[in-house]
Coordinates of all heavy atoms in Angstrom, one line a residue:
L82 N -12.5 -7.8 90.7 CA -12.1 -7.0 91.7 C -11.9 -5.6 91.2 O -11.5 -5.4 90.0 CB -10.9 -7.5 92.4 CG -11.0 -8.9 93.2 CD1 -9.6 -9.3 93.7 CD2 -12.1 -8.8 94.3
G83 N -12.1 -4.6 92.1 CA -11.9 -3.2 91.6 C -10.5 -2.8 91.6 O -9.6 -3.3 92.3
A84 N -10.3 -1.9 90.7 CA -8.9 -1.2 90.5 C -7.8 -2.2 90.3 O -6.7 -2.1 90.9 CB -8.6 -0.3 91.7
Q85 N -8.0 -3.2 89.4 CA -7.0 -4.1 89.1 C -6.2 -3.7 87.9 O -6.8 -3.2 86.9 CB -7.6 -5.5 88.8 CG -8.2 -6.1 90.1 CD -7.3 -6.4 91.2 OE1 -6.2 -6.9 91.0 NE2 -7.6 -5.9 92.4
P86 N -4.9 -3.8 87.9 CA -4.1 -3.4 86.7 C -4.2 -4.3 85.6 O -4.9 -5.5 85.7 CB -2.6 -3.4 87.3 CG -2.7 -4.4 88.4 CD -4.0 -4.3 89.0
P87 N -3.8 -4.0 84.4 CA -3.9 -4.9 83.2 C -3.3 -6.2 83.5 O -2.2 -6.4 84.1 CB -3.2 -4.1 82.2 CG -3.2 -2.7 82.5 CD -3.2 -2.7 84.0
S88 N -4.1 -7.3 83.0 CA -3.6 -8.6 83.2 C -4.1 -9.5 82.1 O -4.7 -8.9 81.2 CB -4.1 -9.2 84.5 OG -5.5 -9.2 84.6
H91 N -8.1 -9.4 82.3 CA -8.5 -8.1 81.9 C -7.3 -7.3 81.3 O -6.5 -6.8 82.0 CB -9.1 -7.3 83.1 CG -10.2 -8.1 83.8 ND1 -11.5 -8.2 83.4 CD2 -10.2 -8.7 85.0 CE1 -12.2 -8.9 84.1 NE2 -11.5 -9.3 85.2
L92 N -7.4 -7.2 79.9 CA -6.2 -6.6 79.2 C -5.9 -5.2 79.6 O -4.8 -4.7 79.6 CB -6.5 -6.7 77.7 CG -6.6 -8.2 77.2 CD1 -6.8 -8.2 75.6 CD2 -5.3 -9.0 77.5
L93 N -7.0 -4.4 79.9 CA -6.8 -3.1 80.2 C -7.2 -2.8 81.8 O -7.4 -1.6 82.2 CB -7.6 -2.2 79.3 CG -7.2 -2.0 78.0 CD1 -8.0 -1.1 77.1 CD2 -5.7 -1.5 77.9
G94 N -7.2 -3.9 82.5 CA -7.5 -3.8 83.9 C -9.0 -3.5 84.2 O -9.9 -3.7 83.3
T95 N -9.3 -3.2 85.4 CA -10.6 -2.9 85.8 C -10.8 -1.6 86.6 O -9.7 -1.0 86.9 CB -11.2 -4.0 86.8 OG1 -10.3 -3.9 88.0 CG2 -11.2 -5.4 86.2
T96 N -12.0 -1.1 86.6 CA -12.2 0.3 87.2 C -12.3 0.0 88.7 O -12.2 -1.1 89.2 CB -13.5 0.9 86.7 OG1 -14.7 0.1 87.1 CG2 -13.5 1.0 85.2
A97 N -12.6 1.1 89.5 CA -12.7 1.0 90.9 C -14.0 0.2 91.3 O -14.0 -0.4 92.3 CB -12.8 2.4 91.5
Q100 N -15.5 -3.0 86.8 CA -15.9 -3.1 85.4 C -14.6 -3.2 84.6 O -13.6 -2.7 84.9 CB -16.7 -1.9 85.0 CG -17.9 -1.7 85.8 CD -18.4 -0.3 85.7 OE1 -17.7 0.7 85.4 NE2 -19.8 -0.1 85.9
D101 N -14.8 -4.0 83.5 CA -13.7 -4.2 82.5 C -13.4 -2.9 81.7 O -14.4 -2.4 81.0 CB -14.0 -5.4 81.6 CG -12.8 -5.7 80.7 OD1 -11.8 -6.4 81.2 OD2 -12.8 -5.4 79.6
V102 N -12.2 -2.4 81.7 CA -12.0 -1.1 81.0 C -12.0 -1.3 79.5 O -12.4 -0.5 78.8 CB -10.6 -0.6 81.5 CG1 -10.2 0.7 80.7 CG2 -10.7 -0.3 83.0
L103 N -11.5 -2.4 79.1 CA -11.5 -2.7 77.6 C -12.9 -2.7 77.0 O -13.2 -2.1 76.0 CB -10.8 -4.0 77.3 CG -10.7 -4.4 75.8 CD1 -10.0 -3.4 75.1 CD2 -10.0 -5.8 75.7
N106 N -14.3 0.8 76.8 CA -13.9 1.6 75.8 C -14.3 1.1 74.4 O -14.6 1.9 73.5 CB -12.4 1.6 75.8 CG -11.8 2.5 76.9 OD1 -11.6 3.7 76.6 ND2 -11.5 2.0 78.1
A269 N -13.9 7.9 85.9 CA -12.6 7.8 86.3 C -12.2 8.9 87.2 O -11.5 8.7 88.2 CB -11.6 7.7 85.1
A274 N -9.4 7.9 90.1 CA -8.3 7.1 89.4 C -7.0 7.9 89.3 O -5.9 7.3 89.4 CB -8.8 6.8 88.0
T277 N -5.3 7.6 92.9 CA -4.8 6.4 93.2 C -3.8 5.8 92.2 O -3.2 4.8 92.4 CB -6.0 5.4 93.4 OG1 -6.7 5.3 92.1 CG2 -7.0 5.8 94.4
G278 N -3.5 6.6 91.2 CA -2.6 6.2 90.1 C -3.1 5.1 89.2 O -2.2 4.3 88.6
S279 N -4.4 4.9 89.1 CA -4.9 3.9 88.2 C -5.0 4.5 86.8 O -6.0 4.8 86.2 CB -6.3 3.5 88.7 OG -6.3 2.9 90.0
W280 N -3.8 4.5 86.1 CA -3.7 5.1 84.9 C -4.4 4.4 83.8 O -4.9 4.9 82.8 CB -2.2 5.2 84.5 CG -1.5 3.9 84.5 CD1 -0.8 3.3 85.5 CD2 -1.4 2.9 83.4 NE1 -0.3 2.1 85.2 CE2 -0.7 1.9 83.9 CE3 -1.9 2.8 82.1 CZ2 -0.4 0.7 83.1 CZ3 -1.7 1.7 81.3 CH2 -0.9 0.7 81.8
W281 N -4.6 3.0 84.0 CA -5.2 2.2 82.9 C -6.7 2.5 82.8 O -7.4 2.1 81.9 CB -5.0 0.7 83.3 CG -5.6 0.4 84.6 CD1 -6.8 0.0 84.9 CD2 -4.8 0.4 85.9 NE1 -7.0 -0.2 86.3 CE2 -5.7 -0.1 86.9 CE3 -3.5 0.6 86.2 CZ2 -5.3 -0.2 88.2 CZ3 -3.1 0.6 87.5 CH2 -4.0 0.1 88.4
V282 N -7.2 3.3 83.7 CA -8.7 3.7 83.7 C -8.9 4.9 82.8 O -9.8 5.0 82.0 CB -9.3 3.9 85.1 CG1 -10.7 4.3 85.0 CG2 -9.1 2.7 85.9
F283 N -8.1 5.9 82.9 CA -8.4 7.2 82.2 C -7.5 7.3 80.9 O -7.8 8.1 80.1 CB -8.1 8.4 83.1 CG -6.7 8.5 83.7 CD1 -5.7 9.1 83.1 CD2 -6.5 7.9 85.0 CE1 -4.4 9.1 83.6 CE2 -5.3 8.1 85.5 CZ -4.2 8.6 84.9
V284 N -6.4 6.6 80.8 CA -5.5 6.6 79.6 C -6.2 6.2 78.4 O -6.1 6.8 77.3 CB -4.1 6.1 79.9 CG1 -3.3 5.9 78.5 CG2 -3.3 6.8 80.8
P285 N -6.8 5.0 78.4 CA -7.4 4.5 77.2 C -8.5 5.3 76.5 O -8.4 5.5 75.2 CB -8.0 3.1 77.5 CG -7.2 2.7 78.7 CD -6.8 4.0 79.4
P286 N -9.5 5.9 77.2 CA -10.4 6.7 76.5 C -9.7 8.1 76.0 O -10.1 8.6 74.9 CB -11.5 7.1 77.6 CG -10.8 6.8 78.9 CD -9.8 5.7 78.6

Side-chain angles (χ1 to χ4, degrees):
L82 298 177
Q85 295 299 309
S88 61
H91 303 285
L92 297 180
L93 292 181
T95 60
T96 64
Q100 301 163 333
D101 187 76
V102 176
L103 179 60
N106 283 275
T277 59
S279 302
W280 57 267
W281 57 86
V282 179
F283 58 85
V284 167

